[in-house]
Amino acid sequence: SKKLKPMVKVIDYQLRKTDEGTVFCTLTVQGGVEIVQSQNSGNFYATAKKANMSCTFNEETCKMLIGQELPGSIHKVECEPYDYVVPSTAEVIQLTHKHVYSPTDETPSFAKNIFSEFLKPSKNGALQPA
């Protein structure tokens, strides 16, 4: 049987600003539904991995891309510890992983170093370019 190519969907975009003040857009992509077991309660729940990726598009183009499917997958990779603000509770937690997009079903070889080399967390927990 033919194996289906993995797909992600563009679900949102953000305007970001570099330390120098240059504004650019990132696309938020989401993978398919996954069933995960809670380490605390043992209960199962549905979730989907999300990742942000830089793009060369303007805001208008990003708006039009919402809902578009792209080939690829999202992978959890280890990274240097960083503080993250949980949006629903404003609690600050420390994470040692992030999700990255790959145009294939395999974890990109650069993924283990991308956090420390290219991205740093800002004070509000959002990833900003270094």
Side-chain angles (χ1 to χ4, degrees), residues 1 37 56 61 73 112 130:
S1 68
Q37 188 172 20
T56 61
T61 302
S73 53
K112 293 197 185 322

Side-chain angles (χ1 to χ4, degrees), residues 7-115:
M7 299 293 278
V8 298
K9 184 180 279 191
V10 178
I11 61 166
D12 202 1
Y13 73 94
Q14 287 83 38
L15 293 175
R16 308 273 186 174
K17 190 182 287 190
T18 66
D19 291 340
E20 294 78 33
T22 304
V23 176
F24 68 100
C25 293
T26 61
L27 297 175
T28 303
V29 293
Q30 180 174 290
V33 174
E34 300 176 20
I35 304 302
V36 178
Q37 188 172 20
S38 169
Q39 293 179 346
N40 296 330
S41 69
N43 293 332
F44 292 93
Y45 62 94
T47 188
K49 291 178 188 160
K50 294 178 192 173
N52 290 315
M53 78 176 157
S54 297
C55 65
T56 61
F57 305 125
N58 62 23
E59 187 174 3
E60 195 60 37
T61 302
C62 290
K63 285 179 187 176
M64 292 188 314
L65 289 173
I66 293 175
Q68 176 77 41
E69 286 193 329
L70 305 171
S73 53
I74 299 171
H75 301 271
K76 180 179 176 179
V77 296
E78 298 301 313
C79 67
E80 296 296 320
Y82 65 99
D83 289 337
Y84 174 77
V85 179
V86 179
S88 58
T89 64
E91 176 187 8
V92 178
I93 59 174
Q94 190 172 74
L95 295 178
T96 58
H97 73 274
K98 67 183 300 282
H99 292 111
V100 297
Y101 165 80
S102 171
T104 68
D105 198 20
E106 296 182 22
T107 303
S109 59
F110 66 83
K112 293 197 185 322
N113 299 321
I114 189 171
F115 185 84

